[in-house]
Amino acid sequence: MDVHGRIREILAETIREELAPDQQQLSSEDLIKALRRRGIIDDVMKELNFVTDNVDQELPPSPKQSVCFTDRQSTLLKKTNIDPTRRYLYLQVLGGKAFLEHLQEPEPLPGQVCSTFTLCLHFRNQRFRSKPVPCACEPDFHDGFLLEVHRESLGDGTRMADSTTMLSISDPIHMVLIKTDIFGETTLVASYFLEWRSVLGSENGVTNLTVELMGVGTESKVSVGILNIKLEMYPPLNQTLSQEVVNTQLALERQKTAEKERLFLVYAKQWWREYLQIRPSHNSRLVKIFAQDENGINRPVCSYVKPLRAGRLLDTPRQAARFVNVLGYERAPVIGGGGKQEQWCTLLAFLCRNKGDCEDHANLLCSLLLGYGLEAFVCVGTKAKGVPHAWVMTCGTDGTITFWESLTGHRYIHKSTNPDEPPVAEQPKPLYPYRTVGCVFNHQMFLGNCQSSDSVEICVFDLNDESKWKPMSEEAIKSVCAPGATTSLPPFPPLCASTIDASVTSNEIEMQLRLLVSEHRKDLGLTTVWEDQLSYLLSPALASYEFERTTSISAGNEEFQDAIRRAVPDGHTFKGFPIHFVYRNARRAFATCLRSPFCEEIICCRGDQVRLAVRVRVFTYPESACAVWIMFACKYRSVL
């Protein structure tokens, strides 16, 4: 209804009309009267639906609010339960300024597709997303987010948090700004940690902040724009703290964090010196103790991994591997030539952008496997031609070592070959693409490879053997990487369910592909006859391909082949071509398909009684990730 906008207009008008020169201010009663007179309040009351679900009455009141999560696909806001016994922080984003990169951007015409900005927030297990707004020098953000502030500690969960309790909650609000271009490609614009506790010392529990967003990666020192933010406690605080108390608490936390980080750095230097003394050649091994995040801040690698539970969104470790595999792969952008720009992303930035580098994939997969109770580690090493790479390893209780490639979802069993043994038989070549391994780590352990060779083939992954793997002190890692150990660690966000409707999206892509194929054939002077029944028969094949990717088990192929044999009469030829994508852009997918000679042969098929078929099946995963399977097929009378 755009109530905010209408109220703003009416208030401006009322103030102009009713503020006589001698009268300096209007009371809030006068303004309410003005709104009532113009029927705004009645309109709003009519629009409010007070829903009383029978289910809600039977269940005990939920301890957590149901989060209001908006997305481009769903314009309907889900219900937000406001619990009057809870404390909330209402964060409003009131527009942006000085996004100078978009200074020349023309005003989008109504209905015209344009690039958009979306703001994603995470605070203490709650996630929000703003409505997309057109990219501009002054983007028109007008969104409010209701964040619940509570303690999880025993006995405090049901009490309303007071100012002192809230002052001890050091979690920042993580804000990530994403730009989506007209083709649906996303880029990470900024990632910012908002310290919200200044509101505890402000008058009336309301404060306005101007937040300067800095760029990411190589541009982390460059400002990209400014957001105006208003913070408000709800219900209002009975007693506010003095600003001095708040500042002292924040300064103490910073000091404590800086001291812990300093001590860890001293320890890491000492560990590295010892590691080099074992063998000078260790200097060239990929032993990565620190990694830069998107804001250019060095963090210990162990802080990028943490056991992560996917709730009911993913059922098995292999399904988790498939989910990580369908998140897009993109190397960190670098301006100009030169080497690989390294940038490990915080989890929220990776999930909101829906794509990232191999390290981001490996960190997420390792976190999910740890959540499933497996002993998982991220391995840092190289692939063929010495290209740096990261993958995941799990150690079974029986000593089985399994490598998980997070970019493809493939799993490999590692069998170590002893180079000193006489060659009894020809050693099988390993199937995995990894050449060397420098170190392995998870949220509690960091181990440097100190075997005479760092070649993966002959490595022994007995992590308890200190003559093969030099460990870092678990206490030292815990001091900077345990949850809540330092205030500089971003907490892990929960995964969100997919907002994509698989059937609707499958239909849309299929219709677009039919159009593209018909146009392409028309250009070649060929007519196109579609056979719906044949298209439908391709469904089981697509489902079985995805099932195989998730479980490594092939099933249902016999029925598919039998159905096709029945559908294709004697003397006719059938050709089919399946292909898999992780994006939903039909035009881009079609262009890729045409590059394959097999597919091109089907799409441009000439002959007698040619019938074409295409089937699309979109499989949705959390975080709007998708596996898109497409199958083109044709049948025609064979004329020799």
Side-chain angles (χ1 to χ4, degrees):
M1 287 174 70
D2 187 26
V3 175
H4 278 108
R6 287 169 61 194
I7 290 179
R8 247 185 250 113
E9 283 165 24
I10 287 167
L11 293 186
E13 206 177 293
T14 310
I15 288 168
R16 274 202 308 277
E17 286 173 6
E18 309 205 358
L19 207 53
D22 56 332
Q23 198 182 347
Q24 281 311 300
Q25 62 191 83
L26 286 165
S27 68
S28 52
E29 281 80 30
D30 297 336
L31 298 176
I32 293 275
K33 222 177 280 170
L35 292 177
R36 186 167 277 133
R37 211 168 45 233
R38 286 170 176 75
I40 288 272
I41 291 181
D42 294 344
D43 287 357
V44 174
M45 292 309 282
K46 263 187 243 141
E47 284 293 318
L48 288 178
N49 298 327
F50 293 98
V51 185
T52 51
D53 297 352
N54 299 334
V55 189
D56 287 359
Q57 289 158 6
E58 288 162 21
L59 296 169
S62 113
K64 286 289 287 165
Q65 70 171 68
S66 67
V67 172
C68 137
F69 191 88
T70 54
D71 200 273
R72 182 186 305 181
Q73 279 86 0
S74 60
T75 44
L76 279 175
L77 271 176
K78 292 184 186 164
K79 241 181 7 195
T80 306
N81 306 330
I82 298 187
D83 183 342
T85 63
R86 286 293 169 129
R87 179 80 68 198
Y88 294 94
L89 174 65
Y90 185 44
L91 181 151
Q92 292 178 71
V93 184
L94 305 170
K97 289 199 298 264
F99 283 78
L100 299 179
E101 205 172 301
H102 301 279
L103 197 56
Q104 306 300 327
E105 208 106 332
E107 279 281 303
L109 300 166
Q112 182 189 7
V113 179
C114 63
S115 300
T116 58
F117 281 139
T118 312
L119 196 62
C120 304
L121 273 75
H122 166 234
F123 177 65
R124 294 175 76 73
N125 239 18
Q126 305 159 66
R127 281 181 61 186
F128 300 85
R129 167 174 273 178
S130 73
K131 292 188 282 293
V133 299
C135 292
C137 182
E138 299 195 350
D140 187 26
F141 285 110
H142 276 284
D143 263 305
F145 307 100
L146 200 61
L147 318 176
E148 187 181 325
V149 188
H150 69 291
R151 294 288 296 175
E152 288 101 345
S153 58
L154 214 60
D156 280 351
T158 51
R159 279 218 303 272
M160 186 187 282
D162 58 13
S163 13
T164 324
T165 310
M166 288 193 286
L167 187 57
S168 67
I169 296 175
S170 60
D171 292 351
I173 297 170
H174 190 181
M175 303 166 75
V176 166
L177 184 64
I178 299 288
K179 177 184 172 182
T180 311
D181 69 11
I182 53 175
F183 306 108
E185 289 296 312
T186 53
T187 28
L188 177 62
V189 180
S191 169
Y192 183 84
F193 292 97
L194 176 69
E195 178 49 76
W196 56 276
R197 287 174 288 176
S198 56
V199 72
L200 301 174
S202 58
E203 217 178 317
N204 311 329
V206 179
T207 184
N208 287 297
L209 304 171
T210 308
V211 166
E212 183 178 19
L213 301 176
M214 305 306 263
V216 292
T218 45
E219 298 169 40
S220 58
K221 303 280 182 287
V222 184
S223 169
V224 289
I226 290 167
L227 288 181
N228 294 323
I229 287 175
K230 181 180 178 184
L231 296 174
E232 191 174 345
M233 293 311 302
Y234 173 83
L237 294 168
N238 306 331
Q239 58 175 105
T240 54
L241 304 167
S242 75
Q243 200 61 55
E244 205 177 323
V245 170
V246 176
N247 293 344
T248 309
Q249 170 74 12
L250 301 184
L252 272 171
E253 283 176 10
R254 275 197 296 272
Q255 201 179 332
K256 220 160 135 191
T257 293
E259 182 58 14
K260 281 183 177 176
E261 287 174 349
R262 188 187 67 80
L263 288 171
F264 182 74
L265 183 60
V266 170
Y267 170 73
K269 281 181 176 171
Q270 173 64 24
W271 183 92
W272 177 243
R273 273 197 297 273
E274 289 170 7
Y275 181 70
L276 290 184
Q277 280 166 11
I278 300 171
R279 228 177 259 110
S281 63
H282 283 180
N283 201 10
S284 60
R285 293 192 180 179
L286 279 178
V287 178
K288 195 141 191 58
I289 304 171
F290 293 94
Q292 282 197 356
D293 68 6
E294 67 266 27
N295 291 327
I297 294 168
N298 270 320
R299 302 183 187 280
V301 288
C302 297
S303 68
Y304 288 89
V305 171
K306 185 186 139 183
L308 178 65
R309 301 211 311 221
R312 299 194 184 278
L313 301 177
L314 297 165
D315 296 319
T316 64
R318 293 189 189 190
Q319 202 180 359
R322 177 63 174 150
F323 155 60
V324 175
N325 150 222
V326 297
L327 285 168
Y329 167 63
E330 180 182 79
R331 289 177 60 166
V334 60
I335 299 172
K340 174 181 186 243
Q341 165 65 30
E342 193 176 64
Q343 173 188 311
W344 292 29
C345 273
T346 53
L347 184 55
L348 185 70
F350 175 39
L351 293 176
C352 294
R353 192 170 54 141
N354 244 316
K355 59 186 175 192
D357 215 328
C358 64
E359 292 88 359
D360 303 325
H361 285 80
N363 290 334
L364 174 56
L365 179 56
C366 183
S367 299
L368 286 164
L369 296 182
L370 287 166
Y372 281 113
L374 301 177
E375 188 181 8
F377 295 87
V378 174
C379 303
V380 179
T382 61
K383 291 194 294 189
K385 296 183 183 158
V387 177
H389 190 63
W391 68 96
V392 179
M393 164 181 92
T394 51
C395 309
T397 45
D398 58 354
T400 310
I401 299 295
T402 310
F403 292 149
W404 303 64
E405 176 46 65
S406 57
L407 296 177
T408 60
H410 292 157
R411 296 162 64 256
Y412 310 96
I413 302 292
H414 173 262
K415 286 189 174 63
S416 174
T417 55
N418 187 345
D420 302 331
E421 280 182 3
V424 181
E426 186 62 34
Q427 295 287 355
K429 266 198 81 61
L431 296 168
Y432 48 77
Y434 318 121
R435 293 287 173 270
T436 66
V437 56
C439 64
V440 303
F441 67 87
N442 63 16
H443 61 305
Q444 292 170 329
M445 295 163 80
F446 182 95
L447 302 128
N449 182 359
C450 52
Q451 295 166 60
S452 56
S453 164
D454 61 354
S455 165
V456 178
E457 262 180 85
I458 57 177
C459 259
V460 176
F461 285 92
D462 176 4
L463 302 181
N464 298 319
D465 184 344
E466 293 198 12
S467 68
K468 294 186 169 62
W469 294 92
K470 178 173 169 56
M472 259 195 182
S473 144
E474 291 192 23
E475 282 306 306
I477 291 169
K478 202 183 275 179
S479 72
V480 285
C481 296
T486 63
T487 52
S488 63
L489 283 187
F492 267 40
L495 295 182
C496 282
S498 178
T499 52
I500 294 167
D501 184 321
S503 316
V504 171
T505 313
S506 303
N507 272 341
E508 279 173 3
I509 299 174
E510 197 169 301
M511 295 321 288
Q512 287 167 358
L513 286 175
R514 280 193 173 202
L515 207 65
L516 290 165
V517 170
S518 300
E519 279 176 7
H520 186 73
R521 287 177 63 84
K522 194 174 174 185
D523 293 345
L524 298 172
L526 299 168
T527 57
T528 310
V529 183
W530 294 100
E531 189 172 310
D532 289 347
Q533 176 60 11
L534 188 59
S535 297
Y536 181 67
L537 295 186
L538 305 176
S539 296
L542 300 184
S544 98
Y545 298 147
E546 183 61 22
F547 183 72
E548 191 175 343
R549 286 283 174 108
T550 312
T551 59
S552 313
I553 300 163
S554 175
N557 210 9
E558 305 80 6
E559 294 88 341
F560 167 64
Q561 289 182 354
D562 194 62
I564 293 297
R565 283 196 190 99
R566 287 173 178 282
V568 179
D570 280 354
H572 282 61
T573 303
F574 170 84
K575 283 180 184 172
F577 177 80
I579 189 165
H580 164 256
F581 298 100
V582 295
Y583 49 80
R584 305 190 300 280
N585 184 331
R587 200 170 281 277
R588 189 174 149 198
F590 183 64
T592 309
C593 291
L594 281 178
R595 281 193 219 116
S596 155
F598 299 110
C599 188
E600 205 228 5
E601 204 177 281
I602 292 172
I603 291 170
C604 308
C605 179
R606 298 168 181 269
D608 185 19
Q609 294 179 26
V610 176
R611 298 289 178 270
L612 289 166
V614 62
R615 189 68 171 168
V616 176
R617 176 75 167 87
V618 173
F619 295 88
T620 57
Y621 285 91
E623 297 295 333
S624 303
C626 281
V628 179
W629 282 96
I630 300 173
M631 193 164 183
F632 289 101
C634 67
K635 64 173 190 183
Y636 56 92
R637 183 194 286 277
S638 313
V639 181
L640 292 170

